[in-house]
Short mmCIF file of all heavy atoms in Angstrom, two decimals:
data_model
loop_
_atom_site.label_atom_id
_atom_site.label_comp_id
_atom_site.label_asym_id
_atom_site.label_seq_id
_atom_site.Cartn_x
_atom_site.Cartn_y
_atom_site.Cartn_z
N VAL A 22 166.90 139.79 100.89
CA VAL A 22 168.34 139.54 100.97
C VAL A 22 168.80 139.04 99.62
O VAL A 22 168.46 137.93 99.21
CB VAL A 22 168.67 138.51 102.07
CG1 VAL A 22 170.15 138.16 102.05
CG2 VAL A 22 168.26 139.04 103.43
N ALA A 23 169.56 139.85 98.90
CA ALA A 23 170.00 139.49 97.56
C ALA A 23 171.10 138.44 97.63
O ALA A 23 172.04 138.56 98.41
CB ALA A 23 170.50 140.72 96.82
N ALA A 24 170.98 137.39 96.79
CA ALA A 24 171.98 136.31 96.79
C ALA A 24 173.31 136.79 96.21
O ALA A 24 174.36 136.22 96.51
CB ALA A 24 171.46 135.12 95.99
N ASN A 25 173.26 137.83 95.37
CA ASN A 25 174.48 138.40 94.79
C ASN A 25 175.33 137.32 94.13
O ASN A 25 176.53 137.19 94.40
CB ASN A 25 175.29 139.14 95.87
CG ASN A 25 176.29 140.12 95.27
OD1 ASN A 25 176.27 140.39 94.07
ND2 ASN A 25 177.18 140.63 96.10
N GLU A 26 174.68 136.53 93.24
CA GLU A 26 175.36 135.39 92.63
C GLU A 26 176.55 135.81 91.77
O GLU A 26 177.48 135.02 91.57
CB GLU A 26 174.36 134.59 91.80
CG GLU A 26 173.27 133.94 92.65
CD GLU A 26 172.26 133.19 91.82
OE1 GLU A 26 172.37 133.23 90.57
OE2 GLU A 26 171.36 132.56 92.40
N GLU A 27 176.51 137.01 91.25
CA GLU A 27 177.62 137.49 90.41
C GLU A 27 178.72 138.17 91.22
O GLU A 27 179.74 138.57 90.68
CB GLU A 27 177.09 138.48 89.35
CG GLU A 27 175.98 137.91 88.47
CD GLU A 27 176.43 136.67 87.73
OE1 GLU A 27 177.59 136.64 87.28
OE2 GLU A 27 175.62 135.73 87.62
N GLY A 28 178.49 138.30 92.54
CA GLY A 28 179.46 138.97 93.38
C GLY A 28 180.70 138.13 93.63
O GLY A 28 180.71 136.92 93.36
N PRO A 29 181.74 138.73 94.17
CA PRO A 29 182.97 137.98 94.46
C PRO A 29 182.74 136.94 95.55
O PRO A 29 181.87 137.10 96.42
CB PRO A 29 183.94 139.06 94.92
CG PRO A 29 183.06 140.16 95.44
CD PRO A 29 181.83 140.14 94.59
N LEU A 30 183.52 135.87 95.51
CA LEU A 30 183.43 134.84 96.54
C LEU A 30 184.11 135.34 97.81
O LEU A 30 185.13 136.03 97.75
CB LEU A 30 184.09 133.55 96.06
CG LEU A 30 183.50 132.91 94.81
CD1 LEU A 30 184.27 131.64 94.45
CD2 LEU A 30 182.02 132.60 95.00
N LEU A 31 183.54 134.99 98.94
CA LEU A 31 184.11 135.40 100.22
C LEU A 31 185.32 134.52 100.55
O LEU A 31 185.21 133.30 100.57
CB LEU A 31 183.06 135.28 101.33
CG LEU A 31 183.49 135.74 102.73
CD1 LEU A 31 183.77 137.24 102.73
CD2 LEU A 31 182.41 135.41 103.75
N ALA A 32 186.46 135.16 100.79
CA ALA A 32 187.67 134.41 101.10
C ALA A 32 187.56 133.79 102.49
O ALA A 32 186.75 134.20 103.32
CB ALA A 32 188.88 135.35 101.05
N SER A 33 188.35 132.75 102.72
CA SER A 33 188.35 132.09 104.03
C SER A 33 188.70 133.10 105.12
O SER A 33 189.55 133.97 104.93
CB SER A 33 189.37 130.95 104.05
OG SER A 33 189.02 129.98 103.09
N LEU A 34 188.03 132.96 106.25
CA LEU A 34 188.21 133.90 107.36
C LEU A 34 189.64 133.83 107.89
O LEU A 34 190.15 132.76 108.21
CB LEU A 34 187.22 133.57 108.48
CG LEU A 34 187.15 134.57 109.63
CD1 LEU A 34 186.51 135.87 109.16
CD2 LEU A 34 186.34 133.98 110.79
N THR A 35 190.29 134.98 107.95
CA THR A 35 191.66 135.05 108.47
C THR A 35 191.79 135.97 109.67
O THR A 35 192.65 135.76 110.52
CB THR A 35 192.62 135.53 107.37
OG1 THR A 35 192.19 136.82 106.90
CG2 THR A 35 192.67 134.56 106.20
N GLY A 36 190.94 136.98 109.73
CA GLY A 36 191.03 137.94 110.83
C GLY A 36 189.93 137.76 111.85
O GLY A 36 190.16 137.30 112.97
N GLY A 37 188.72 138.11 111.47
CA GLY A 37 187.62 137.98 112.41
C GLY A 37 186.32 138.52 111.85
O GLY A 37 186.26 139.01 110.71
N ILE A 38 185.30 138.41 112.65
CA ILE A 38 183.94 138.85 112.29
C ILE A 38 183.63 140.09 113.13
O ILE A 38 183.95 140.14 114.31
CB ILE A 38 182.92 137.74 112.58
CG1 ILE A 38 183.28 136.48 111.79
CG2 ILE A 38 181.51 138.21 112.27
CD1 ILE A 38 182.49 135.26 112.23
N ALA A 39 183.00 141.07 112.50
CA ALA A 39 182.68 142.30 113.23
C ALA A 39 181.26 142.76 112.92
O ALA A 39 180.78 142.60 111.80
CB ALA A 39 183.68 143.39 112.87
N PHE A 40 180.62 143.31 113.93
CA PHE A 40 179.37 144.04 113.76
C PHE A 40 179.73 145.51 113.91
O PHE A 40 180.29 145.92 114.93
CB PHE A 40 178.35 143.64 114.82
CG PHE A 40 177.58 142.39 114.51
CD1 PHE A 40 178.24 141.19 114.28
CD2 PHE A 40 176.20 142.41 114.44
CE1 PHE A 40 177.55 140.04 113.99
CE2 PHE A 40 175.49 141.25 114.16
CZ PHE A 40 176.17 140.06 113.93
N ALA A 41 179.41 146.29 112.88
CA ALA A 41 179.77 147.71 112.89
C ALA A 41 178.51 148.55 113.00
O ALA A 41 177.79 148.77 112.00
CB ALA A 41 180.55 148.07 111.63
N ASN A 42 178.19 148.98 114.21
CA ASN A 42 177.06 149.87 114.48
C ASN A 42 175.77 149.34 113.85
O ASN A 42 175.05 150.04 113.14
CB ASN A 42 177.36 151.28 113.94
CG ASN A 42 176.42 152.32 114.53
OD1 ASN A 42 175.95 152.19 115.65
ND2 ASN A 42 176.14 153.36 113.77
N VAL A 43 175.46 148.09 114.12
CA VAL A 43 174.34 147.40 113.47
C VAL A 43 173.03 147.71 114.19
O VAL A 43 172.93 147.56 115.41
CB VAL A 43 174.58 145.88 113.44
CG1 VAL A 43 173.30 145.15 113.01
CG2 VAL A 43 175.72 145.55 112.49
N THR A 44 172.04 148.12 113.40
CA THR A 44 170.68 148.31 113.88
C THR A 44 169.75 147.50 112.99
O THR A 44 169.86 147.54 111.77
CB THR A 44 170.27 149.79 113.85
OG1 THR A 44 171.08 150.52 114.78
CG2 THR A 44 168.81 149.97 114.23
N PHE A 45 168.84 146.74 113.62
CA PHE A 45 167.93 145.91 112.84
C PHE A 45 166.65 145.68 113.62
O PHE A 45 166.65 145.51 114.83
CB PHE A 45 168.56 144.55 112.53
CG PHE A 45 167.61 143.58 111.88
CD1 PHE A 45 167.32 143.67 110.53
CD2 PHE A 45 166.97 142.61 112.64
CE1 PHE A 45 166.42 142.80 109.94
CE2 PHE A 45 166.06 141.73 112.06
CZ PHE A 45 165.79 141.82 110.71
N GLY A 46 165.53 145.65 112.88
CA GLY A 46 164.24 145.32 113.47
C GLY A 46 163.42 144.50 112.49
O GLY A 46 163.44 144.76 111.28
N TYR A 47 162.70 143.50 113.00
CA TYR A 47 161.84 142.69 112.13
C TYR A 47 160.64 143.49 111.66
O TYR A 47 160.05 143.18 110.62
CB TYR A 47 161.40 141.43 112.87
CG TYR A 47 162.56 140.52 113.23
CD1 TYR A 47 163.09 140.53 114.52
CD2 TYR A 47 163.14 139.69 112.28
CE1 TYR A 47 164.16 139.72 114.86
CE2 TYR A 47 164.21 138.88 112.61
CZ TYR A 47 164.71 138.90 113.90
OH TYR A 47 165.78 138.10 114.23
N THR A 48 160.25 144.48 112.45
CA THR A 48 159.19 145.40 112.07
C THR A 48 159.70 146.82 112.27
O THR A 48 160.59 147.05 113.11
CB THR A 48 157.92 145.18 112.93
OG1 THR A 48 158.24 145.45 114.31
CG2 THR A 48 157.41 143.76 112.79
N PRO A 49 159.17 147.78 111.54
CA PRO A 49 159.65 149.17 111.69
C PRO A 49 159.44 149.73 113.10
O PRO A 49 160.17 150.62 113.53
CB PRO A 49 158.80 149.95 110.67
CG PRO A 49 158.32 148.92 109.69
CD PRO A 49 158.15 147.65 110.48
N GLU A 50 158.45 149.17 113.82
CA GLU A 50 158.11 149.73 115.13
C GLU A 50 159.06 149.27 116.24
O GLU A 50 159.15 149.92 117.28
CB GLU A 50 156.68 149.33 115.52
CG GLU A 50 155.60 149.79 114.56
CD GLU A 50 155.50 148.89 113.34
OE1 GLU A 50 155.94 147.72 113.42
OE2 GLU A 50 155.00 149.36 112.30
#
């Protein structure tokens, strides 16, 4: 997980949080 220290700062939340078709596994299997 890259810290992205040079990336833009995240603005204060105004709308909401969304998961968009998220797939994740701790192992490939």
Side-chain angles (χ1 to χ4, degrees):
V22 175
N25 199 10
E26 295 178 357
E27 304 302 321
L30 300 179
L31 183 65
S33 298
L34 188 70
T35 58
I38 302 168
F40 277 57
N42 197 30
V43 169
T44 295
F45 172 79
Y47 297 100
T48 62
E50 301 80 22

